[in-house]
Amino acid sequence: MKRHLLTVLLIVLSVFCCACNHPHTQLSFIAMDTYITLSADVNDGVLSSVRQKICSLSDALDFHNSGSALSILNQNAGGPVDGDLNTLLQLARQYANDTGGAFNPALGNIIRLWDIGGQNRLPAAAQINDALAHSQSGDWQIQDGQVSLQNGVQLDLGGIAKGYASDIALQMIEQAGGTSGLLSIGGNIAVLGSKNGDDWRIAIQHPETEQASIGTLSVCDCFVVTSGDYQRYFETNGKRYHHIFGQNGYPTDNSLRSVTVVTDSGAKADAYSTALFVMGLDQGLAFYNQKQDFEAIFITKDRSVTVTPGLRNRFTLQDGGYYYEN
Ligand code: ADP
Ligand code: MG
């Protein structure tokens, strides 16, 4: 939460610093278990409607609330879905397939077992293996508005929900005539248009220092999402256990500290940033070469920064202790 607050503050600062042609309306609130700031050249009423929409998505997708639409699916091993839940689950299925299960919304049993940020349990290997047997990416389907969960799979959409919400928020603002805006849903950034004809400058959270950014990205009309091992974690015996799980049911343990994805969809940026973090640097770069539908910044524990070609003249590294790998 604190990290998200920093991102929010940096963004709010950058919005206030711009002498906009059309004044931006601002709205900040908490939903989806995080801080949200909306800023766009639309009136208060539009941003209030966006807030209502995000809050209703937050309620529907809450994995931890037994009354949410998602939990009801989990309790009933599936069922009918429509509207946003239908769209979001179709996207989740597609990104799970595209990433070979690195993005795996079927990890609910693993997520509940570890409960990172809640009970912070370090489960026994047997418990992890048992939960993993009921968390397989291939054990759920969605077709014609019908979800089916096999083998005790529990869906958790924490790796994509905020990005999807940013897509919906941006669409609502555009439909209301907005042409310029900056939205942050817990650090999932959506950028609409430009800032007086210039790129927006987005601060990328420093993975080691709480009150700092590691660099800035100059972008317009895109979504920017970062996944990292510093967002939610606990440490015991000198080891960090964070909230992004690999296919072995343990928090991923590769060379990466964070991955930022820039692309044309919030849901995709969110799902891919989680997936690339799971894949690790080499596999992540292979995925980049294969897909060619996003750009990324990979930051490793040994302080290397790998920037994909499309972002090389858009990213400015600010910490001299880090070095470019390419
Ligand atoms: P954040 O939500 O902190 O912005 P992410 O988008 O990377 O970060 O999502 C992490 C969340 O996604 C976890 O809290 C959990 O709910 C869920 N999750 C964890 N591991 C995976 C995974 N391999 N695939 C899909 N979702 C995951
Ligand atoms: Mg994600």
Side-chain angles (χ1 to χ4, degrees), residues 103 157-163 188 225-227 244 266-275:
F103 172 75
L157 297 171
I160 189 171
K162 294 195 286 288
N188 286 242
V225 177
T226 301
S227 287
I244 301 175
K268 191 202 287 177
D270 197 358
Y272 278 13
S273 69
T274 305

